[in-house]
Amino acid sequence: MVLSGVKAVFFDLDNTLIDTAGASKIAIEKVIHLLKSKYQYSEKETSILCEKYQTKLLHESFDPSTVNIDQQRALYWEEVIQATRTSAVSKHMAAECYDLWKSTRLQHVILAEDTRHMLTELRKMCLLLLLTNGEKHVQWEKIDACACKSYFDAIVVGGEHKEEKPSPSIFQHCCDILGVKPEECVMVGDSLDTDIQGGLNAGLKATVWINNAAQMGRKDNPLPAPDFIIPSVLDLPAILT
């Protein structure tokens, strides 16, 4: 056993337990096919359009109490369609693109069988909590799509709270829910900025960084520095058992 005295493990969701990046890539490919086959868009046009849409998602910022996330993201498609090629049917196209992108992504957000087995076995040893940042509607859709709720003692979605990772307050909230101390907990995630920095800010026992080179690129000296670096969440039991 590398770590002892661990009472709880906090898991990130996206690109830690589920391959959200891979699901999003498949979803974009579906939209590209739609634009080419139905609307006769060229390879260059679809590439520009989809790149602009993903940029909007990357820099997404809005008040979910005043804006519906589905309407907002459909509007993103409408804006990039208009910017690429002025069209009288841009609103209809935008809705079609968004519906296809969203449904395809959710279909491919999967909690793999080996990950399910790992979570089941770890839960025999300690408490498990899912801690994910993001707009609450979007995150709960993914949680429901991958059917992961039954594997955790608690689920905390950052978008439902005043502060998200890496704020210490949300980590303390997780500890309070489980009845544990920060120094008895481990944070596991793929983001240095939110998961690892958050775990360090909160004074957790340890942080474990999922460095999936296929998604993130290889970093020899990551900062902030995690206590452990593993290529896959499936390597976690080697640290905890």
Side-chain angles (χ1 to χ4, degrees):
M1 178 183 290
V2 179
L3 286 176
S4 59
V6 175
K7 292 187 178 180
V9 180
F10 302 162
F11 284 93
D12 174 52
L13 178 65
D14 296 302
N15 303 311
T16 296
L17 293 175
I18 59 174
D19 184 11
T20 309
S24 296
K25 182 179 179 180
I26 294 171
I28 285 292
E29 290 171 352
K30 284 279 191 178
V31 174
I32 287 174
H33 177 73
L34 170 72
L35 291 169
K36 287 181 177 179
S37 61
K38 185 173 180 178
Y39 295 103
Q40 290 74 55
Y41 271 63
S42 68
E43 183 74 35
K44 182 178 180 180
E45 285 176 317
T46 57
S47 177
I48 293 173
L49 191 154
C50 291
E51 183 177 333
K52 286 183 176 180
Y53 176 73
Q54 292 179 97
T55 298
K56 285 182 177 290
L57 288 181
L58 184 64
H59 300 290
E60 189 171 50
S61 178
F62 65 95
D63 182 356
S65 67
T66 61
V67 180
N68 178 283
I69 184 68
D70 289 316
Q71 293 175 342
Q72 182 66 45
R73 290 184 171 180
L75 179 61
Y76 292 159
W77 279 111
E78 185 175 354
E79 290 172 346
V80 299
I81 288 170
Q82 288 284 12
T84 306
R85 181 198 292 181
T86 302
S87 171
V89 295
S90 58
K91 187 175 291 291
H92 171 76
M93 287 175 59
E96 193 173 6
C97 287
Y98 177 64
D99 289 344
L100 179 61
W101 175 83
K102 177 181 175 178
S103 62
T104 302
R105 189 169 79 143
L106 288 176
Q107 286 170 11
H108 289 85
V109 167
I110 299 169
L111 189 66
E113 191 59 40
D114 49 6
T115 303
R116 293 176 185 273
H117 176 73
M118 179 203 68
L119 293 172
T120 299
E121 292 304 307
L122 284 181
R123 201 173 179 194
K124 296 175 182 178
M125 303 166 40
C126 57
L127 299 169
L128 302 185
L129 180 142
L130 183 65
L131 174 57
T132 176
N133 278 3
E135 199 277 329
K136 61 181 181 180
H137 177 72
V138 173
Q139 293 308 100
W140 278 110
E141 282 186 331
K142 285 185 282 188
I143 290 167
D144 289 338
C146 71
C148 69
K149 286 189 283 190
S150 63
Y151 294 91
F152 295 96
D153 296 283
I155 294 176
V156 175
V157 175
E160 296 178 329
H161 300 270
K162 184 177 180 180
E163 296 180 306
E164 297 185 300
K165 298 178 290 184
S167 171
S169 67
I170 198 162
F171 287 88
Q172 186 58 56
H173 175 66
C174 293
C175 291
D176 292 344
I177 289 175
L178 297 181
V180 295
K181 299 176 182 179
E183 58 268 26
E184 298 171 326
C185 304
V186 174
M187 180 68 215
V188 182
D190 71 303
S191 171
L192 291 170
D193 294 334
T194 59
D195 300 316
I196 304 308
Q197 187 63 63
L200 295 172
N201 292 346
L204 300 193
K205 184 179 187 67
T207 58
V208 181
W209 182 43
I210 310 298
N211 181 21
N212 187 329
Q215 296 178 22
M216 302 177 58
R218 186 169 177 268
K219 294 186 179 182
D220 292 316
N221 298 296
L223 291 174
D227 296 291
F228 301 92
I229 302 174
I230 54 179
S232 165
V233 72
L234 297 177
D235 296 305
L236 182 63
I239 297 173
L240 299 178
T241 61

